[in-house]
Each structure stands twice: as C-alpha cells, then as structure tokens.
Amino acid sequence: MTHPKSLPSEPVGELFKAAFRAHPAGVSIVTAMGPEGAVGLTASSVASVAVDPPTLAFSVTGGRSASHIAAAQTIVVHLIGADHLDLARTFADPGAPRFTDGMEWELLPTGEPLLTEAAWALRCEIIHRAPLGGSVLLAARVLEIRATPSGSAPLIYHNREFHTLLEGIPALG
Amino acid sequence: MTHPKSLPSEPVGELFKAAFRAHPAGVSIVTAMGPEGAVGLTASSVASVAVDPPTLAFSVTGGRSASHIAAAQTIVVHLIGADHLDLARTFADPGAPRFTDGMEWELLPTGEPLLTEAAWALRCEIIHRAPLGGSVLLAARVLEIRATPSGSAPLIYHNREFHTLLEGIPALG
C-alpha cells in the first residue's frame, strides 16, 4: 500500500457521464400498457438481481413512456440481440413511431405489448420503486419467459453507439 | 398485430439464468472497508440511474464481501477495462487473495480501498437498500470520481466469459 491520495475534485457530473459512456451495456426494450396505449423504451440498465425468485432491476428517466412504465403493474422486458438493432433504435428515439402495423408485436392475454421478434421476453411484475434524482429505479419479479433463440450476436451499447460482440475473442489473461 | 398468444409455461428459473447469461454487461469492482478489513467483489450489474445528482445502482448476492458492501456507508465503484481483466478475475473468485502487497491499491483518506489501476473510480455513498430474494439492490450517490484514462478496450461479461469489444465494429443498421 502506498501513501493515501485524494480523489481529484473535478466536476463530478461531467466525469460521471464520461465514465458511463465508456461502460458497455447490454440492450433491452421495456414495454407496458399505459393509460393511453402501448408504451416502450430502450434501456441499457437491465440487470439480474436474484435468481430465486427471478428478479431484475433497471431504471427509467423522464418522458411519457418512462412514467407510464414506472407506474405499470406489469411490464415485458425484451433482451435484444444484434439482429434487432432496428427495434433498439426505434425505442431509443422518442420521436419514432412504435407499435405500428409494420412492427411485429401483439398484446398478451394479460394485456402487455409483446415484441414477438425479441430473443427473450420476460413478463414481470414491478415489486419495488425508488425515485432517485429525476429517475426511478425499479425492481421486477419475473413471472413468465418466452425464449425465441435466434443465434444472434449480442448487442452492446458503448460510447453512444451500438456494437456487436464478436464471439471467439475472449479477453486475454 | 396478430392474435394474442400466451407465453409458454417453462421453468422460469432456468430460462431466467439462460436469458441473463446471454445478456452482455460491463464489468466493475466494488470495494468497501468492512469490519474485518477491505472487501471487494466483481459486479456486472452496475448501471447509471440519474445524472443530477449522479446516482448509480447495482446488486450484490450472498457471501461475506457482499454483506459488508451492502452494509457499508461508502464504497468505491471501479469501472474496469480489458487491460485489468486480472483484477476482474481476482475479485470474481471468492477464494482468490485480494488486497495483497502485489496489488496496486491504497486506502483513501476517507477510509475506502482504492484500486489505483482502474480507469474510473467512483467514491459513493449508499443511499438506498432493497433486499430482494437473497440479494440486495443498492443505489449510491457519487461523491467523487478519479479518472485514469488508459485507452483500454472495454471489458464485457457474456456467457460466463470475459470479452473485449473491438472498436470500429458498430452494429450495422
């Protein structure tokens, strides 16, 4: 151990944004039925929390879709591969039309919108909501899972761009 | 929209694990000073929640390091690039020696262990704890950030292996 050293006192907000821009993340689309119809958004914060019972967490920030998802009792979390980059882009753009006739989706008998092309669709009940600085951190219990394996490469969000991960290039030790 | 269709009723637990194995994630190491000394663990669930004030979230599951981190008032979240894969592996293995003389680390004046090689070190105060099925979902306010840009490729955890992301291979639209 060397001598103690302070962290520098640079503006934390800008450094925070730069740190997470450089932090890669998987890509999900979260949908719900809101009071005005189906809503959805692309999220890069979905993570597994517990396996028994299956529980995941993510956060949403601002906007109509975010507030309707945060208020929903049940949601569908779609984990997205590189073959559905178009869906990830559509739901990342608040101005893009969603749930159009040209989009592969349907309503589940339980009422939530399902994007039928997604490799994984997890129907969840929101069990915890924590408002934090203009965002809401949500935890959700997974009720049902639809798997549609496509063999697609994974989709990764990094430095404000979508990337694919080339299989067979593990990091060297 | 096509006709409503049920999600299949396969065992949710196994599908849940398979879904998140296939969901790529960035890699972090979270450290804290516990009652018996410095503790740390590798986490693939760290995500930005809010920018103002800067807030992040992650979850920890089981074990001594996890319980000491969940109970700590302050922690350091290190975002790890591919050049520090060795650190990620060390803190992912509960049996591996940590905070040894050979490891580049020091105590901050505020008492938390800092891994000095990490590209980003975010000193945080835990502001929210939600126990969920044997895990704890934590939210933390970022107090200070130390940036040590290394130009390293990002490190990604996917299918139980560490991978690098090759820059310049954005996903095609």
Side-chain angles (χ1 to χ4, degrees), chain A residues 2 49 85 106 128 135 162 172, chain B residues 2 49 85 106 128 135 171-172:
Chain A
T2 55
V49 170
L85 177 62
E106 60 194 38
H128 185 79
S135 301
F162 294 105
L172 298 175
Chain B
T2 57
V49 170
L85 177 62
E106 60 192 40
H128 185 79
S135 301
L172 299 174

Side-chain angles (χ1 to χ4, degrees), chain B residues 78-155:
Chain B
H78 306 79
L79 307 183
I80 297 295
D83 52 349
H84 295 115
L85 177 62
D86 56 331
L87 282 177
R89 289 211 164 114
T90 295
F91 283 94
D93 174 3
R98 293 104 181 254
F99 305 111
T100 55
D101 285 345
M103 182 177 279
E104 294 289 330
W105 74 287
E106 60 192 40
L107 282 182
L108 290 170
T110 42
E112 306 87 354
L114 171 71
L115 303 173
T116 52
E117 295 178 298
W120 296 94
L122 295 77
R123 192 171 79 85
C124 308
E125 178 185 4
I126 297 180
I127 57 169
H128 185 79
R129 294 170 177 83
L132 293 164
S135 301
V136 186
L137 176 62
L138 301 164
R141 178 77 34 88
V142 180
L143 306 173
E144 294 177 273
I145 297 179
R146 169 175 153 153
T148 317
S150 67
S152 164
L155 184 60

Side-chain angles (χ1 to χ4, degrees), chain A residues 1-10 12-13 15-20 22-28 44-57 59-61 77 79-80 82 85 89 100-101 103-109 114 116 120-123 127-130 132-139 141-147 154-156 158-159 161-173, chain B residues 1-10 12-13 15-20 22-28 44-57 59-61 77 79-80 82 85 89 100-101 103-109 114 116 120-123 127-130 132-139 141-147 154-156 158-159 161-173:
Chain A
M1 200 179 85
T2 55
H3 293 295
K5 186 163 60 182
S6 254
L7 295 177
S9 55
E10 293 185 51
V12 172
L15 285 174
F16 180 79
K17 284 191 267 185
F20 278 98
H23 192 62
V27 179
S28 307
S44 59
S45 62
V46 173
S48 165
V49 170
V51 168
D52 188 17
T55 309
L56 56 79
S59 63
V60 296
T61 307
V77 175
L79 307 184
I80 298 295
L85 177 62
R89 289 211 164 112
T100 56
D101 286 346
M103 183 177 279
E104 294 288 333
W105 74 286
E106 60 194 38
L107 281 182
L108 291 170
L114 172 71
T116 53
W120 296 96
L122 295 77
R123 192 171 80 84
I127 57 169
H128 185 79
R129 294 170 178 84
L132 292 164
S135 301
V136 186
L137 176 62
L138 301 164
R141 178 76 34 88
V142 180
L143 306 173
E144 295 176 273
I145 297 180
R146 169 174 152 152
L155 184 60
I156 291 154
H158 178 251
N159 276 339
E161 284 187 346
F162 294 105
H163 296 258
T164 56
L165 182 66
L166 297 186
E167 290 298 334
I169 310 188
L172 298 175
Chain B
M1 201 178 84
T2 57
H3 293 294
K5 187 165 56 179
S6 246
L7 295 179
S9 56
E10 292 185 51
V12 173
L15 285 174
F16 180 79
K17 284 190 268 186
F20 277 98
H23 192 62
V27 179
S28 307
S44 59
S45 62
V46 173
S48 164
V49 170
V51 169
D52 187 18
T55 309
L56 56 80
S59 62
V60 296
T61 306
V77 175
L79 307 183
I80 297 295
L85 177 62
R89 289 211 164 114
T100 55
D101 285 345
M103 182 177 279
E104 294 289 330
W105 74 287
E106 60 192 40
L107 282 182
L108 290 170
L114 171 71
T116 52
W120 296 94
L122 295 77
R123 192 171 79 85
I127 57 169
H128 185 79
R129 294 170 177 83
L132 293 164
S135 301
V136 186
L137 176 62
L138 301 164
R141 178 77 34 88
V142 180
L143 306 173
E144 294 177 273
I145 297 179
R146 169 175 153 153
L155 184 60
I156 291 155
H158 179 251
N159 277 337
E161 284 187 346
F162 293 105
H163 296 258
T164 55
L165 182 66
L166 298 185
E167 290 297 335
I169 310 186
L172 299 174

